[in-house]
Amino acid sequence: MNVHGPALGVQLAAERRHTFVGRAEQLAAFEAMLASKDSGPCVLYLHGPGGLGKTTLLHMIAEQARTAGCHVLRFDGRALAVSPASLTDAVGSQPPGKRLVLLLDTFEQCQGLERWLYEAVLPTLPSGTITVVAGRRPPSPAWRVDGAWSTALRVMRLTDLPRTDAEELLVRRRLPAKTRDDILAFAGGNPLALALAASVASGANALPQRWQPGADIVHSLLDQLIGDMPSDEHRRALEVCAHARTTTEELLRVVLPADAGRLFRWLRELPFVEPAPQGLFPHDIVRHLLDTDLRWRDPGTYRALNQSLRSHLLGQVRTAPTHSVMDRTLEYSYLQHRSGEDVSEYLGWDDPGGIFEDTLRHTDRAALLDLTASQAGRHSAQIAEFWMDNQPQGFRVYRNPHDNSPRAYICWLQLTAPEAGHLTADPVVAAAWQHTSSIPAGRHLGMMRFIVAGPEAYSPRSPVMGLISVRHTAELLHASGMTHSFLAFEDTEYWGPVAAYTQHHPAGTAQVGDRTHTLWAHDWTKTPLDRWLDKLDRQALPEDKPASEQLEPGMPLSRAEFDQAVREAVKYFQEPAKLAVNPLLRNAVRTRPGVTALDALREAVEESVDALLAEPSTAGYHRVVAAAYFQGPTTQPEAAARLGMAFSTYRRHLNQALSRISDHLYDTLG
């Protein structure tokens, strides 16, 4: 009698079942093979990059087979004993009367046996035998196009787990919600990365406010997902592929001029590198790991790589014909902004979901004006209609690929003179001209006058906002004769960090109906394009230094700058690293003995938020601010839904709440 509980193998199997999630389609395919007896496919070929849980899936398939009364033979391609003879001997020694299930794991390690397998072994197996092959590489084309195998072979490519399955995996590891979100942001749906990160986080004595992967996790995953490189040049090629959005042989030649062709051919054969119309790209987790490792291991080389690739892509943007401007700018923008924390959470670079940019059509007007009225108010809708009549070429519409319906739009204006009709029709344009006064003949102002989209576009890493950002960058890079550019936002809480990141500074306000719009301006006569790009480079890849050294005493903040700093202080209240570089710490916060400036700022912000409760007219604003920033990580649309508010109402109330908080802080600190 076993007095110590179940055997270790039984415990491991139970734990494996408990932590296993997803792969329902693959398990169902094997279940169908079990049910088919002698008909239907008899070989299931599973393939995909490392770390996707192929071995774990085979464990579950083996359990299914044993439960069905089958005899299971399992081989691992990493074992030296895998050979034609070993397979033949094992199959020949199976117990009589039992159906055979043959499992071949890590098949990429013995890929040389593939032809022998499908020509000489599988056709001779007993009737009803099911073979499951799992490896990093897909089956050879010769096997797949053989007519004799067309009905007997089923090929399934494994990809990342869907978000719901990935989150469930972490829930079963009993991790808190905030840590789950941080791990998901790092690992995506890669089961190996999720499991390794969860194991480290579960073993920590105290979890940090924000979980981040350590160098040990990155190194371990690189070893398991990629392994050793054939040479330093191969590793360099893979680092280029991980750093750029897509890699062509031409781009590879910028860094590795002598071997670009050979290395590009090597890259395209890797199981975790995929082809796209624009070039090659690696699996998300591989990209993240390689880029993180290089930046940590050799920051100087990382910056040099970024600079050389960016310089090449910038040249392509500047010479691109009209039809390819967006494609070229997308490649450049990804490299330029992907490391900038202030904008990376806004923009979706890799999966536009088929959404595409188009010109304004007459049939769009009613839908776009209705969208504008619902999101920005009827006065803004009237102004949008005015510009549709006067500068229709400035509109870009972002369409649903299924029915071409508009999902969002922007309006980029070019203004050469303060025309009376424009000033009367649009208070925002009037405020821009008041800021700049006049410009020389032949020059113009550029203005992103409208960015209008439904609530879904405000989710993190939005593909719509990514495309809009690319369009804005294209307008700036291709502008000729522009003296100033303007951004105009009602929702400064959302857009303020993006405006500041692109070196647009508060330039006054304008009233449109009952709504206040903030203008942000960049003076290209003082900071021309090349200097602007240099500053962006330094922002995206700053030199590592303590937060105390990043904020130097400066000039007093203007009221517009103060308001923006307050918004950022509220937004990042629970993120000390970001709060520690808030401009309010330079000259607005007064310290007292025993209290640091950072703690003093936090106290002042808390007092100003709580001051909203003092009056019945503003008490409701407190709920909005709490839902947005103090009740756990959430998107703006989710916060609005939690409060039972229309998204446009939520945004308006949040902006009004932040204005009240800023007024209170201005009185307190001023």
Side-chain angles (χ1 to χ4, degrees):
M1 183 174 65
N2 184 356
V3 297
H4 300 292
L8 178 60
V10 176
Q11 294 179 17
L12 291 175
E15 181 63 20
R16 193 176 289 125
R17 284 193 299 273
H18 173 70
T19 57
F20 182 84
V21 297
R23 306 308 185 200
E25 184 182 2
Q26 289 76 25
L27 292 173
F30 179 73
E31 189 71 36
M33 289 181 172
L34 284 175
S36 69
K37 302 300 181 185
D38 294 332
S39 62
C42 62
V43 177
L44 177 61
Y45 199 117
L46 307 171
H47 69 95
L52 292 181
K54 295 183 291 294
T55 296
T56 305
L57 177 57
L58 285 189
H59 280 300
M60 304 307 295
I61 287 175
E63 283 206 18
Q64 277 185 307
R66 293 189 185 100
T67 301
C70 300
H71 176 59
V72 177
L73 286 176
R74 182 167 185 156
F75 290 86
D76 192 316
R78 290 168 294 192
L80 295 177
V82 177
S83 65
S86 65
L87 283 172
T88 303
D89 291 345
V91 170
S93 63
Q94 67 164 331
K98 280 201 170 189
R99 191 177 186 185
L100 176 62
V101 173
L102 179 63
L103 306 180
L104 302 176
D105 196 9
T106 326
F107 193 65
E108 71 275 3
Q109 296 293 329
C110 55
Q111 202 85 31
L113 300 178
E114 183 177 7
R115 182 172 180 177
W116 169 84
L117 182 70
Y118 73 79
E119 285 187 350
V121 175
L122 297 183
T124 65
L125 293 178
S127 177
T129 298
I130 300 174
T131 302
V132 183
V133 181
R136 296 191 176 192
R137 300 180 182 279
S140 70
W143 187 354
R144 301 184 68 175
V145 300
D146 186 339
W149 278 103
S150 61
T151 59
L153 173 69
R154 178 161 187 191
V155 180
M156 303 185 78
R157 179 177 180 271
L158 266 63
T159 59
D160 278 358
L161 293 173
R163 170 84 184 200
T164 52
D165 288 343
E167 188 161 18
E168 176 62 22
L169 187 152
L170 298 178
V171 168
R172 295 187 184 189
R173 300 294 183 107
R174 300 177 181 87
L175 292 171
K178 180 64 177 73
T179 303
R180 294 200 302 266
D181 289 337
D182 291 339
I183 291 176
L184 287 169
F186 159 69
N190 184 276
L192 176 62
L194 288 165
L196 183 57
S199 177
V200 172
S202 298
N205 293 326
L207 288 170
Q209 188 169 34
R210 181 176 184 183
W211 182 91
Q212 290 183 317
D216 54 340
I217 291 183
V218 172
H219 183 71
S220 176
L221 285 170
L222 282 174
D223 279 349
Q224 296 184 62
L225 298 181
I226 300 173
D228 294 332
M229 294 291 101
S231 70
D232 290 343
E233 288 73 21
H234 288 82
R235 173 172 286 278
R236 188 71 165 152
L238 195 51
E239 288 168 348
V240 171
C241 191
H243 195 67
R245 181 175 179 270
T246 58
T247 298
T248 61
E249 187 174 326
E250 177 187 7
L251 186 68
L252 208 55
R253 197 173 294 118
V254 173
V255 179
L256 296 158
D259 296 317
R262 176 175 61 88
L263 293 170
F264 185 82
R265 289 191 294 274
W266 172 76
L267 283 174
R268 71 192 306 176
E269 294 299 320
L270 295 176
F272 48 80
V273 172
E274 302 282 348
Q278 297 81 22
L280 302 175
F281 68 95
H283 193 274
D284 285 348
I285 188 66
V286 172
R287 179 195 293 280
H288 184 84
L289 290 169
L290 282 165
D291 213 53
T292 300
D293 179 63
L294 178 61
R295 189 170 185 176
W296 168 79
R297 176 170 48 84
D298 193 348
T301 296
Y302 185 90
R303 290 190 182 89
L305 174 64
N306 183 276
Q307 185 174 15
S308 59
L309 296 181
R310 200 174 57 245
S311 177
H312 172 77
L313 293 174
L314 178 60
Q316 290 191 326
V317 171
R318 287 174 158 173
T319 58
T322 302
H323 69 272
S324 63
V325 164
M326 282 291 284
D327 287 338
R328 293 294 169 216
T329 308
L330 175 58
E331 299 292 328
Y332 172 78
S333 293
Y334 175 85
L335 209 59
Q336 179 71 58
H337 301 313
R338 63 179 297 228
S339 300
E341 290 188 1
D342 290 336
V343 296
S344 60
E345 65 183 85
Y346 290 80
L347 311 176
W349 300 108
D350 294 322
D351 183 18
I355 295 170
F356 65 98
E357 184 189 84
D358 193 18
T359 56
L360 178 68
R361 305 176 188 176
H362 180 73
T363 53
D364 296 329
R365 289 174 69 103
L368 296 184
L369 293 176
D370 286 346
L371 181 63
T372 308
S374 67
Q375 299 300 317
R378 62 181 182 85
H379 289 93
S380 287
Q382 292 169 355
I383 295 170
E385 187 172 25
F386 172 83
W387 290 116
M388 286 180 186
D389 292 334
N390 286 270
Q391 285 200 27
Q393 72 278 10
F395 285 77
R396 295 288 187 276
V397 181
Y398 300 89
R399 301 188 185 280
N400 186 314
H402 304 296
D403 57 9
N404 289 339
S405 60
R407 294 275 300 277
Y409 79 92
I410 65 167
C411 173
W412 175 264
L413 300 176
Q414 290 193 15
L415 307 167
T416 57
E419 299 180 22
H422 296 176
L423 304 183
T424 303
D426 192 343
V428 172
V429 168
W433 280 114
Q434 187 175 13
H435 179 80
T436 52
S437 175
S438 63
I439 59 175
R443 309 292 291 274
H444 70 276
L445 310 182
M447 176 183 286
M448 185 69 82
R449 178 59 186 89
F450 287 101
I451 298 178
V452 179
E456 69 280 357
Y458 289 82
S459 58
R461 294 172 176 82
S462 161
V464 171
M465 294 308 178
L467 289 174
I468 288 172
S469 170
V470 172
R471 168 53 60 185
H472 181 230
T473 301
E475 295 292 351
L476 297 181
L477 294 180
H478 276 263
S480 176
M482 184 169 64
T483 63
H484 295 75
S485 59
F486 288 89
L487 304 169
F489 304 124
E490 177 191 353
D491 192 353
T492 53
E493 183 275 334
Y494 181 83
W495 287 109
V498 178
Y501 182 84
T502 58
Q503 301 168 50
H504 286 71
H505 307 289
T509 60
Q511 202 70 20
V512 178
D514 62 348
R515 304 191 182 194
T516 301
H517 292 246
T518 299
L519 273 73
W520 302 73
H522 181 89
D523 187 339
W524 297 96
T525 64
K526 294 181 179 177
T527 307
L529 187 62
D530 288 342
R531 284 178 56 197
W532 178 76
L533 291 171
D534 287 341
K535 286 188 175 182
L536 279 183
D537 294 346
R538 290 195 294 272
Q539 287 178 191
L541 292 172
E543 296 287 343
D544 294 328
K545 56 184 179 180
S548 59
E549 298 178 16
Q550 294 180 22
L551 280 176
E552 300 173 357
M555 297 293 291
L557 300 174
S558 69
R559 181 56 201 264
E561 291 169 336
F562 181 91
D563 290 343
Q564 182 57 29
V566 169
R567 290 172 180 270
E568 292 177 6
V570 177
K571 181 176 182 178
Y572 299 127
F573 182 83
Q574 301 189 81
E575 298 185 49
K578 292 184 177 181
L579 195 63
V581 294
N582 190 284
L584 293 173
L585 295 172
R586 286 192 311 218
N587 45 32
V589 175
R590 294 189 296 271
T591 60
R592 60 184 188 276
V595 179
T596 66
L598 183 60
D599 287 339
L601 176 58
R602 289 175 63 89
E603 289 177 7
V605 170
E606 283 186 294
E607 290 174 2
S608 296
V609 171
D610 290 342
L612 295 171
L613 295 169
E615 300 178 23
S617 61
T618 60
Y621 293 161
H622 188 276
R623 290 178 58 242
V624 176
V625 173
Y629 303 120
F630 298 97
Q631 294 176 355
T634 186
T635 65
Q636 286 201 16
E638 288 170 347
R642 187 192 307 161
L643 295 171
M645 289 183 175
F647 184 62
S648 58
T649 303
Y650 161 84
R651 291 170 61 197
R652 186 166 64 256
H653 285 188
L654 182 58
N655 275 298
Q656 291 168 342
L658 292 169
S659 294
R660 295 297 186 99
I661 293 170
S662 188
D663 288 343
H664 187 275
L665 271 171
Y666 194 77
D667 292 339
T668 302
L669 302 178

